[in-house]
Amino acid sequence: TLAIMALFVFANLTVIIAEFAGIAASMELFGVHKHISVPISAFIVWFVVVKGNFKQVERFLIAISLIYLTYVFSGVMSNPPWKEVARQIVVPHIRLDKDYLLLFITMVGTTITPYMQFYLQSAVVDKGIRVDEYQYAKFDVYAGSFMTVFIAFFIVLSTGTILHPAGVIVDSAENAAQALQPLAGEFASHLFAVGLLNASFLAAFVLPLATAYGLSEAFGWESGINKTFREAPQFLGFYTAFIVIGAGMILIPTMPLIKIMFLSQTINGILLPIVLIIMLRLVNDKELMGEYVNSKRMNIITWVTVAILILLTVMLVLTSFIL
């Protein structure tokens, strides 16, 4: 538990830093300096959770999630070659070199993240969902998972259609937004920037929460958004500390933000099989789950995912030594 929590905290903290970097970058595209945008956004993130209750926080996060649809408009406005897009979805381009495998694991690490597993189960507990309401919680997860990939598809679509053919090398999301302007127009660029701001702002809420939940539950401390500092000092203390560290690091001029973000997602991808194996052991324990143990279909899907991730990690290690 201690080893997993150490990796979990490191990976999450680096992502928290990257999310505040996203807030700073997107606001700078609108002429707001990071010394103004980062402290204000950090205070909002802290205040909403510490002073609100679970229902208020959940509704606030759902409302701002709707802004993700700006990426859809940005993707459609890029006028992609739909036939070629469909062909490459069916027949993807795969390489077995170190860089491709590293990026593949990193993409998985940022799509199916360990923090997501911790946050989902913690939110179910914190929300007070009853057993007869599990079907709605499941639908919630399915809908959210679909929207994640749906939005990511249009991000890839807009950047791949416009920036890649133009030979634009993107090493940050703000560069992507800036590069879109002369190629797709100012409106598409602004939509991308708004999407970046929203994505970063939303994750700046969820990541500190997920980390505080995970640590508190792992070591038996009281946790919950509805709790006060007196009732759950560790939970709210960790939440506050992660926000302060994440926002504070962005104000350091020479911080290598992109390297931090990439490394954190790679660690997430490597850590994910460990987390999933532990979760599979728990959800298949009849003493814990009773009639709600995992179905055979879900076990097959999850074990195949775990096996692929382990295989990719082994291949990455081997190619690192061979190449």
Side-chain angles (χ1 to χ4, degrees):
T1 299
L2 185 61
I4 290 173
M5 284 298 107
L7 286 172
F8 178 64
V9 169
F10 176 76
N12 284 8
L13 188 56
T14 52
V15 182
I16 292 168
I17 294 168
E19 300 310 338
F20 278 107
I23 292 173
S26 58
M27 290 304 292
E28 283 180 352
L29 290 170
F30 296 107
V32 181
H33 197 274
K34 68 178 182 180
H35 287 106
I36 297 174
S37 62
V38 171
I40 291 175
S41 60
F43 176 76
I44 293 172
V45 168
W46 178 85
F47 184 82
V48 169
V49 169
V50 172
K51 298 300 180 182
N53 57 49
F54 189 92
K55 184 176 287 188
Q56 291 170 336
V57 172
E58 182 181 52
R59 289 177 178 177
F60 178 77
L61 296 181
I62 290 172
I64 63 175
S65 293
L66 296 175
I67 303 174
Y68 275 127
L69 295 175
T70 55
Y71 279 130
V72 177
F73 293 111
S74 186
V76 172
M77 288 174 64
S78 67
N79 194 26
W82 290 107
K83 287 185 179 179
E84 179 64 14
V85 170
R87 187 186 70 81
Q88 293 204 25
I89 289 174
V90 177
V91 187
H93 179 66
I94 299 174
R95 302 199 318 263
L96 295 178
D97 58 74
K98 181 176 68 176
D99 291 338
Y100 184 91
L101 290 172
L102 181 63
L103 186 60
F104 196 107
I105 293 173
T106 302
M107 285 294 293
V108 173
T110 193
T111 305
I112 315 172
T113 58
Y115 81 78
M116 191 187 301
Q117 318 307 315
F118 285 93
Y119 181 80
L120 280 172
Q121 61 87 19
S122 298
V124 168
V125 174
D126 208 356
K127 193 174 182 178
I129 293 175
R130 302 188 304 271
V131 172
D132 60 337
E133 296 172 326
Y134 275 0
Q135 57 182 325
Y136 303 112
K138 277 188 176 182
F139 176 78
D140 202 17
V141 174
Y142 293 151
S145 300
F146 170 79
M147 285 304 298
T148 297
V149 180
F150 182 73
I151 297 298
F153 170 79
F154 282 97
I155 295 173
V156 173
L157 198 64
S158 57
T159 53
T161 301
I162 298 173
L163 303 184
H164 182 68
V168 177
I169 298 175
V170 176
D171 58 3
S172 66
E174 63 269 26
N175 284 355
Q178 289 171 336
L180 280 170
Q181 184 167 333
L183 297 169
E186 188 175 352
F187 189 60
S189 175
H190 284 171
L191 280 177
F192 198 92
V194 169
L196 168 61
L197 173 63
N198 180 70
S200 301
F201 196 66
L202 185 64
F205 275 96
V206 174
L207 273 149
L209 267 178
T211 315
Y213 274 134
L215 283 171
S216 298
E217 292 174 6
F219 298 110
W221 299 319
E222 193 68 49
S223 65
I225 295 176
N226 294 327
K227 306 288 185 182
T228 64
F229 260 101
R230 178 172 292 183
E231 294 170 322
Q234 293 92 347
F235 173 76
L236 292 175
F238 279 125
Y239 180 75
T240 302
F242 290 131
I243 292 172
V244 171
I245 295 170
M249 294 292 279
I250 299 307
L251 303 179
I252 300 174
T254 57
M255 185 60 56
L257 300 176
I258 301 304
K259 288 184 179 179
I260 288 174
M261 183 168 60
F262 193 88
L263 176 63
S264 68
Q265 303 302 353
T266 305
I267 292 171
N268 275 328
I270 295 171
L271 181 61
L272 182 61
I274 301 170
V275 174
L276 289 179
I277 288 171
I278 292 171
M279 288 183 67
L280 276 166
R281 289 186 61 187
L282 291 172
V283 298
N284 285 291
D285 189 331
K286 287 191 175 182
E287 289 188 15
L288 285 174
M289 301 298 294
E291 62 180 292
Y292 297 98
V293 292
N294 241 17
S295 65
K296 183 179 289 185
R297 179 175 62 88
M298 290 303 296
N299 274 333
I300 291 172
I301 292 171
T302 314
W303 276 117
V304 168
T305 303
V306 170
I308 291 172
L309 285 170
I310 292 173
L311 178 62
L312 285 168
T313 305
V314 171
M315 289 174 67
L316 175 63
V317 173
L318 290 176
T319 52
S320 297
F321 284 106
I322 295 171
L323 300 178

